[in-house]
Amino acid sequence: MQIKIYLSSFSFDILAEYRNMFKDAEINILLSYGTTSSDYYSMIEKNRGMINSLILDSGAFSLNNIEGSNGKPISIDGFIAYCKTFQERFDFIFNFDEDFHLDGFEKNYKNQKKIEAAGIKVVPVVHDYIGEEVAELDEYLKSYDLISLGFSKHKNDKQKLAAAVLKIKQANKKVHLLGVSAYNRLKNLPVDYSDSSNWAQGQIFGFMYYWNAKNTPNDPELTLRFKDFEPNKATGIKHLDGSPYFDEIIEYLKNELGISYQNLYGQNATFYRQLVNTHYFVKLQDRVREAHIANGFDTLYP
C-alpha cells in the first residue's frame, strides 16, 4: 500500500505554479462540492492531466459548519446533478453524509442509496466508528471496498480510531481518513488515503509548516506563525522570525523552492506562503509512505 494525501479544495494558480516548479511531483487533490469555485472547472476539465488523482467530497462538512460555499445552501439533488456531469473525472466520490451524529446512519445510508440509484458510485462515510449507536461500519464492510472515516467524536480517541482502521484493513478493504494529515497520527495507521486543507488554512491563520526531523526527530512537524499574525498563546506556536531554526528554514526555502524571506511578506505573500505549505504536504506523503514501509504495512496490506 502507498498512502495518498489529498490537498483539499485546491486552487488552480497554485497547482499550475507548483507543477511548473516540480514537473514530476505527485499531486493529489480533493475538491468539495460545498466550496465550488471557478477554479474547479479548470482543474476538472481543462487541466485534469496536471493532477495525479482527483476525488470529490460532497461538502457535508461545509453544510454542517458554514452552510455551503459563500453562504449558499447545498443539497443532495444539486450534488447528484454535479456528479452526473463530472463523475468520470474523479477517481472516487464521497457520500452526501449530511448527518454527523453517531445515530445519523439511517439518514446517510438513505442518501447513499439515492445517489447510487442515480447511477453514481459513492464511498460511504462512517461517523460511529465503534457501533455505539448502530453497527454502520459492519454494514458497509459487507458491500464496499473503500470506506471513509469522517467527522466523529471517536476520531480524537487514538485507540478507537486505530481499531476502526484495522477492522477495515483486516477485511481486505481500503480506508480514507477524512481531514487528518498530522505525521505522528498517520505514520502508525495503515490508511490508504487521507486529506488536508492545511496547505491553505495554514496561510489563512498565519501558519507555516516545516519538516524539522533533523532537530526534533520525535516531533518532526514544526508549525510557525508569520509575523503579521499574533502568536498563538494557547498552543505556544511562535513566529518564524523568532525561531532558533530561522536561518536553516530560510536557506531551505531558497534552495528547495527559490522563495525568499521577502517573498513571504511581499505583494504576493499569500501565493508564496501557499506554495511553501503545498510543498510541505506533497513531501509529507513521501515521509508517511516511508514510515508505513518501516512498519511493514506494504506487506501486511499490499
Side-chain angles (χ1 to χ4, degrees):
M1 58 171 286
Q2 278 202 318
I3 187 173
K4 292 183 184 295
I5 298 178
Y6 290 84
L7 303 176
S8 301
S9 301
F10 215 58
S11 62
F12 179 70
D13 59 341
I14 297 296
L15 170 64
E17 180 60 24
Y18 192 80
R19 178 59 75 196
N20 181 58
M21 294 167 66
F22 300 97
K23 293 180 172 53
D24 297 325
E26 182 179 335
I27 306 174
N28 303 311
I29 293 175
L30 178 152
L31 299 181
S32 172
Y33 177 66
T35 56
T36 52
S37 72
S38 58
D39 279 4
Y40 279 24
Y41 183 78
S42 181
M43 289 187 279
I44 294 170
E45 287 290 332
K46 294 184 178 180
N47 297 283
R48 178 62 179 84
M50 296 174 68
I51 303 168
N52 292 82
S53 180
L54 183 66
I55 60 178
L56 179 66
D57 184 62
S58 67
F61 185 84
S62 298
L63 179 68
N64 277 272
N65 290 276
I66 58 174
E67 297 183 354
S69 175
N70 300 318
K72 298 176 183 178
I74 59 173
S75 68
I76 186 171
D77 292 328
F79 180 61
I80 288 172
Y82 193 83
C83 291
K84 283 184 175 180
T85 302
F86 297 114
Q87 64 176 316
E88 298 303 322
R89 298 297 189 187
F90 293 99
D91 293 311
F92 55 87
I93 298 169
F94 294 103
N95 182 30
F96 195 85
D97 55 314
E98 61 182 294
D99 193 333
F100 280 13
H101 297 97
L102 293 184
D103 60 356
F105 171 75
E106 184 176 351
K107 176 65 175 177
N108 295 331
Y109 188 74
K110 181 179 179 181
N111 287 351
Q112 179 101 13
K113 292 304 176 184
K114 179 176 180 176
I115 296 168
E116 290 174 344
I120 301 155
K121 184 178 180 181
V122 283
V123 174
V125 182
V126 173
H127 297 281
D128 182 356
Y129 295 2
I130 63 172
E132 189 172 321
E133 296 293 333
V134 63
E136 59 179 296
L137 183 52
D138 292 327
E139 186 63 35
Y140 288 133
L141 283 171
K142 295 175 184 176
S143 307
Y144 297 91
D145 293 326
L146 170 59
I147 296 171
S148 178
L149 297 177
F151 180 88
S152 175
K153 74 174 189 178
H154 298 148
K155 183 171 281 186
N156 290 327
D157 186 318
K158 294 181 180 179
Q159 291 183 329
K160 290 177 181 177
L161 175 60
V165 170
L166 290 176
K167 188 171 188 176
I168 296 169
K169 296 306 296 181
Q170 288 167 357
N172 295 317
K173 305 297 178 71
K174 291 187 176 183
V175 56
H176 183 114
L177 189 54
L178 273 165
V180 175
S181 59
Y183 175 78
N184 280 341
R185 294 198 72 190
L186 290 176
K187 67 177 183 178
N188 294 319
L189 290 173
V191 298
D192 299 276
Y193 313 107
S194 72
D195 62 89
S196 175
S197 62
N198 286 352
W199 72 274
Q201 294 297 320
Q203 186 281 323
I204 293 170
F205 297 106
F207 295 144
M208 173 187 166
Y209 302 94
Y210 177 68
W211 186 252
N212 200 39
K214 183 178 74 173
N215 301 303
T216 55
N218 294 326
D219 189 20
E221 294 188 289
L222 179 62
T223 305
L224 296 163
R225 274 190 183 272
F226 294 107
K227 67 179 181 180
D228 47 346
F229 286 80
E230 287 294 320
N232 190 321
K233 296 178 181 179
T235 62
I237 295 175
K238 298 179 180 178
H239 282 145
L240 164 65
D241 296 70
S243 170
Y245 314 113
F246 176 80
D247 291 338
E248 176 185 320
I249 294 171
I250 296 303
E251 189 69 15
Y252 152 78
L253 294 176
K254 176 184 175 182
N255 294 337
E256 187 89 2
L257 295 163
I259 291 175
S260 68
Y261 177 82
Q262 289 73 23
N263 291 143
L264 298 177
Y265 291 101
Q267 184 175 3
N268 296 315
T270 296
F271 181 75
Y272 286 109
R273 293 175 185 186
Q274 289 181 340
L275 281 175
V276 170
N277 287 333
T278 294
H279 188 61
Y280 176 85
F281 287 102
V282 170
K283 300 299 289 185
L284 181 67
Q285 178 177 257
D286 295 333
R287 291 169 176 135
V288 177
R289 286 176 176 177
E290 290 172 2
H292 283 181
I293 291 172
N295 285 327
F297 294 161
D298 57 321
T299 55
L300 282 170
Y301 311 107

